[in-house]
């Protein structure tokens, strides 16, 4: 059976940075994110009759460098003695450039692969499987504003507000489309081992999550803006104080931050967040989205701007 599914990337407002345990890839801290709508990855998976070499096509081209992580994820789903699989992926935004492409890819992959393997698993199980491949991927299984709770032995997820419960807009300022030099997985390990700020990052995460959760439940945009920017800058401070230092920002990233600050000074309801890459994501109330997009488009170093409302969790598109 061939199964196809689609998932959207998610953007964390309260970030995940650092692993508690390697085997299950358990995050050390909880996180809170926005699942997007108009950026997507589609994955089609079909298992052969017998073991052999997996094949992967990404946007029509063979992608050997990405295959080991895909194959390891398929092993988790179908067992190590499994048949080989043909995996075809399509993505409508830049890959491995700090736009959560791995979150969307692995959420879509586990859903399509488990279906192609003859199983219909519930969202919590699929999220756990996706999270083993990429910590943030678990969140793309769910719609809207999502909280991931990091337990000692497991993760638990829930949607705090659906896409229509509190409509927010995400405007992504793309400043570079090439893949990042250091993967987030490698960078997290370096941070945990070397940053003198790592322990306090972990210790204070629960406080930030509580403030953000309450802001979402009370639809308090200013409170969410304040804690999200603080949490983002704290994560990047942990990266900057790692040895070797991990700096994902470029001059254009800072120019975009200044654009958001100028909009805020003019009373526009918007705030920024930045992940493991040079892109800036601006979160705003929907009525401000056009103003935000125009301002970011005019910012030096911005090569493209993508806008999205909040969207659904991963879903099955079909079987054949
Ligand atoms: O899931 P990973 O290994 O791609 O790491 C994601 C890390 C950040 O995007 C920087 C933060 C987050 O919570 O998504």
């Amino acid at each position: 059976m061939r199964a196809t599914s689609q998932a959207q990337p998610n953007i964390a407002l309260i970030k995940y940075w650092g692993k508690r345990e390697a085997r299950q890839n358990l995050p050390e801290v909880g996180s809170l994110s926005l699942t997007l709508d108009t950026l997507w990855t589609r994955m089609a998976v079909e298992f052969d009759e017998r073991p052999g070499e997996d094949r992967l096509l990404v946007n029509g081209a063979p992608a050997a460098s990405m295959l080991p992580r895909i194959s390891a994820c398929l092993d988790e789903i179908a067992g190590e003695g499994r048949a080989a699989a043909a995996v075809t992926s399509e993505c409508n935004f830049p890959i491995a450039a700090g736009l959560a492409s791995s979150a969307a890819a692995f959420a879509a992959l586990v859903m399509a692969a488990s279906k192609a393997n003859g199983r219909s698993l519930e969202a919590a199980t699929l999220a756990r499987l996706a999270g083993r491949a990429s910590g943030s991927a678990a969140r793309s299984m769910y719609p809207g504003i999502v909280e991931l709770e990091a337990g000692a032995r497991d993760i638990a997820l829930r949607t705090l507000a659906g896409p229509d419960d509190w409509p927010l807009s995400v405007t992504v300022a793309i400043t570079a489309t090439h893949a990042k030099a250091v993967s987030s997985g490698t960078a997290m390990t370096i941070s945990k081992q070397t940053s003198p700020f790592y322990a306090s990052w972990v210790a204070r995460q629960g406080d930030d999550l509580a403030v953000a959760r309450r802001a979402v439940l009370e639809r308090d945009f200013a409170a969410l803006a304040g804690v999200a920017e603080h949490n983002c800058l704290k994560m990047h401070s942990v990266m900057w104080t790692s040895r070797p230092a991990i700096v994902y920002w470029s001059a254009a990233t800072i120019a975009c931050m200044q654009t958001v600050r100028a909009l805020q000074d003019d009373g526009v309801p918007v705030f920024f967040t930045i992940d493991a890459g040079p892109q800036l994501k601006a979160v705003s109330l929907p009525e401000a989205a056009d103003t935000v997009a125009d301002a970011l488009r005019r910012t030096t170093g911005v090569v493209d701007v993508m806008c999205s409302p909040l969207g659904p969790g991963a879903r099955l598109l079909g079987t054949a």
Side-chain angles (χ1 to χ4, degrees):
M1 189 205 291
R2 175 184 163 93
T4 308
S5 66
Q6 173 172 322
Q8 289 64 234
N10 69 80
I11 304 300
L13 302 186
I14 303 299
K15 308 289 190 186
Y16 143 58
W17 196 251
K19 299 174 199 297
R20 184 191 300 268
E21 190 263 355
R23 164 75 190 91
Q24 289 192 76
N25 199 34
L26 286 177
E28 190 130 60
V29 293
S31 53
L32 185 146
S33 63
L34 309 177
T35 301
L36 303 186
D37 185 45
T38 54
L39 281 67
W40 50 254
T41 297
R42 293 184 187 138
M43 283 274 181
V45 179
E46 186 167 14
F47 287 100
D48 301 343
E49 296 292 316
R50 54 186 68 84
E53 298 284 307
D54 294 327
R55 286 98 58 204
L56 172 65
L57 286 182
V58 176
N59 292 334
S65 66
M66 296 180 197
L67 196 50
R69 276 179 84 191
I70 298 277
S71 295
C73 182
L74 295 174
D75 288 348
E76 292 278 349
I77 290 161
E80 286 189 9
R82 67 179 168 83
V87 179
T88 312
S89 164
E90 270 179 76
C91 182
N92 73 344
F93 62 96
I95 292 175
L99 286 171
S101 57
S102 65
F106 285 107
L109 180 72
V110 295
M111 185 170 270
S114 53
K115 190 73 186 170
N117 193 38
R119 296 167 76 199
S120 294
L121 302 175
E122 58 180 24
T125 309
L126 290 170
R128 209 171 285 130
L129 287 165
R132 282 187 199 172
S134 164
S136 58
R139 300 185 308 235
S140 277
M141 211 56 76
Y142 292 80
I145 307 181
V146 178
E147 180 174 357
L148 183 153
E149 206 183 302
R153 292 201 188 84
D154 207 352
I155 54 170
L157 295 102
R158 67 186 167 133
T159 289
L160 294 176
D164 300 326
D165 296 334
W166 194 19
L168 295 174
S169 295
V170 180
T171 305
V172 183
I174 297 175
T175 62
T177 52
H178 53 77
K180 55 193 158 207
V182 188
S183 74
S184 47
T186 304
M188 282 180 206
T189 306
I190 296 171
S191 288
K192 181 168 178 168
Q193 288 169 351
T194 64
S195 171
F197 295 170
Y198 185 78
S200 62
W201 156 256
V202 173
R204 300 298 298 274
Q205 185 78 346
D207 298 345
D208 287 1
L209 263 174
V211 173
R213 187 186 310 118
R214 174 185 290 229
V216 171
L217 297 177
E218 294 178 354
R219 314 285 190 260
D220 183 341
F221 189 83
L224 186 62
V227 73
E229 288 192 355
H230 172 66
N231 189 267
C232 164
L233 294 174
K234 215 160 48 170
M235 177 185 76
H236 285 277
S237 304
V238 171
M239 295 178 184
W240 285 31
T241 51
S242 300
R243 300 187 82 166
I246 299 144
V247 180
Y248 286 114
W249 298 3
S250 66
T253 316
I254 296 173
C256 288
M257 285 168 68
Q258 286 167 337
T259 296
V260 172
R261 282 280 178 266
L263 289 167
Q264 290 171 335
D265 289 346
D266 287 345
V268 177
V270 61
F271 64 88
F272 67 79
T273 190
I274 304 157
D275 293 295
Q279 335 298 357
L280 177 136
K281 291 98 181 190
V283 180
S284 68
L285 293 177
E287 56 269 27
D290 287 347
T291 306
V292 172
D294 285 348
L296 287 171
R297 218 171 264 123
R298 286 197 307 269
T299 302
T300 306
V302 171
V303 295
D304 198 5
V305 168
M306 298 176 95
C307 298
S308 178
L310 305 191
R315 62 192 183 279
L316 199 63
L317 295 180
T319 54

